[in-house]
Amino acid sequence: MRAIVIAAHGGPEVLVHAEHPDPVPGDGEVVVDVAASGVNFIDIYHRSGAYPLPLPSPIGSEGAGVVSAVGPGVTDVAVGDTVAWAGVLGSYAEKAVVPAGRLVPVPGDVSAELAAATMLQGMTAHYLTHSTYPVREGDNVLVHAGAGGMGQLLVQLAKLRGARVFATVSSDEKEKLARAAGADEVLRYDDFAEALRGRMHVVYDGVGAATFDGGLQALRPRGLMALYGAASGPVPPVDPQRLNKEGSLFLTRPTLAHYIADRGELLQRASDLFGWIAEGRLRVNVSHRYPMAQAAQAHEDLAARRTTGKLLLLP
Ligand SMILES: NC(=O)c1ccc[n+]([C@@H]2O[C@H](COP(=O)([O-])OP(=O)(O)OC[C@H]3O[C@@H](n4cnc5c(N)ncnc54)[C@H](OP(=O)(O)O)[C@@H]3O)[C@@H](O)[C@H]2O)c1
């Protein structure tokens, strides 16, 4: 089978697409014939070494496809089932090895490609809006990078919960996408802090260095900053005294793994998302599809702000 393996950390050129032996599932493992793999910022961090991996390493963190083999001890998944996963390395491959406990079933009314596009960012948007800060009817919610993969999902889920949603974007084209996702007001990065000062119940910030300070200013007293990423670079150390001064604010730096570690939670989040998709209440916007061999191009485009919505690799 063909798969992408990195032998060193570095730029997009370390993503080498080559022939490898077909994997054999071990105890509790499943081999899936991959229909599509999602591209995520964490893949860039794994590739660059910002989040170092033991090398050589497979890469890619989410996907979906059809089970082609099951290892000893696997009882609740069978050959032929359509399944999806997030947070399992080795997804940039024709065949992925996934622990059975990390798989979720994909219902018949959701395609494997759409399931691959939904898992990592969808479950992240789910926990941010339902668990980290459960958005309430009438809340003012700020979503940075509102046209991005995460952004379009966060805007939609916050709207589903009855919020008034504000989004930031960098261009007119991205503004249209954030509005199409449901954003009530769309702002640019240079003036959002002043325009929204003291009004937001929660800020969902995956941009990081460029937006963090402005986001604190935009929060109302006792508001919550959910700093979930750093597309523009990491936020420097924060003096807790700032949270006092800006209004007894809450600050959290959450990550998906801690919100799907419990299998019940994993299944609930995935099944909510698939249900909303099937009912037409949630739209996962797959805007970029690349052959797997062009993973380097996908990484360059995502890092350079050239993309909107979800990027997929097709094996
Ligand atoms: N903590 C978690 O559990 C978790 C899970 C999934 C993703 N994330 C994080 O979520 C964030 C968004 O991920 P995504 O895959 O959905 O990406 P994305 O939002 O589709 O792409 C990143 C966007 O960030 C904005 N941005 C602003 N300044 C930037 C800069 N200097 N360089 C690059 N982008 C910049 C750009 O939109 P504009 O051009 O409109 O500014 C860009 O399109 C990432 O930080 C990622 O690590 C975290």
Side-chain angles (χ1 to χ4, degrees):
M1 65 130 185
R2 292 181 82 73
I4 296 183
V5 169
I6 58 166
H9 291 302
E13 70 284 352
V14 303
L15 297 168
V16 176
H17 187 237
E19 197 66 35
H20 294 273
D22 279 2
V24 177
D27 276 358
E29 289 180 342
V30 169
V31 173
V32 184
D33 288 353
V34 176
S37 317
V39 179
N40 291 286
F41 251 88
I42 194 166
D43 306 340
I44 295 177
Y45 300 144
H46 284 148
R47 188 207 74 215
S48 69
Y51 296 173
L53 298 172
L55 297 170
S57 177
I59 189 161
S61 309
E62 85 183 318
V66 176
V67 174
S68 58
V70 300
V74 173
T75 51
D76 49 356
V77 186
V79 170
D81 289 355
T82 302
V83 292
W85 63 91
V88 179
L89 269 182
S91 307
Y92 289 5
E94 282 175 334
K95 290 176 182 288
V97 184
V98 186
R102 305 294 294 274
L103 290 172
V104 303
V106 177
D109 45 12
V110 174
S111 70
E113 190 179 296
L114 202 52
T118 302
M119 289 297 287
L120 198 149
Q121 293 170 347
M123 291 198 296
T124 301
H126 188 291
Y127 83 69
L128 287 169
T129 52
H130 290 65
S131 303
T132 305
Y133 177 89
V135 174
R136 292 158 309 190
E137 181 94 33
D139 278 352
N140 288 329
V141 171
L142 172 59
V143 175
H144 286 303
M150 278 300 310
Q152 291 190 40
L153 294 168
L154 278 169
V155 169
Q156 291 180 76
L157 294 193
K159 286 306 293 177
L160 275 180
R161 290 181 71 90
R164 181 162 181 80
V165 178
F166 302 77
T168 52
V169 297
S170 63
S171 69
D172 292 349
E173 183 215 347
K174 290 187 176 186
E175 174 167 350
K176 281 193 198 119
L177 289 165
R179 285 196 191 278
D184 297 289
E185 288 189 35
V186 181
L187 302 101
R188 296 296 187 270
Y189 295 101
D190 50 7
D191 63 0
F192 80 89
E194 202 41 54
L196 304 180
R197 181 177 286 278
R199 292 166 56 199
M200 298 298 109
H201 291 80
V202 60
V203 175
Y204 294 117
D205 187 351
V207 171
T211 45
F212 181 77
D213 286 338
L216 292 184
Q217 290 168 36
L219 283 167
R220 48 190 270 145
R222 293 159 59 181
L224 185 139
M225 165 67 72
L227 176 67
Y228 70 93
S232 69
V235 172
V238 182
D239 176 357
Q241 189 56 23
R242 279 182 67 194
L243 304 177
N244 165 2
K245 207 168 74 166
E246 306 267 7
S248 298
L249 303 180
F250 295 86
L251 167 63
T252 180
R253 175 56 178 90
T255 201
L256 176 62
H258 302 128
Y259 286 87
I260 55 170
D262 175 84
R263 179 146 179 84
E265 265 192 303
L266 167 69
L267 291 172
Q268 186 63 54
R269 295 193 200 284
S271 121
D272 283 353
L273 290 160
F274 292 149
W276 295 327
I277 290 170
E279 292 162 11
R281 298 169 74 199
L282 176 66
R283 183 167 166 268
V284 178
N285 181 10
V286 180
S287 42
H288 308 264
R289 292 178 178 79
Y290 304 79
M292 187 144 326
Q294 289 173 20
Q297 186 64 52
H299 277 213
E300 281 173 18
D301 291 345
L302 181 60
R305 303 169 88 157
R306 286 194 287 265
T307 64
T308 56
K310 185 68 199 175
L311 288 68
L312 287 180
L313 299 181
L314 305 177

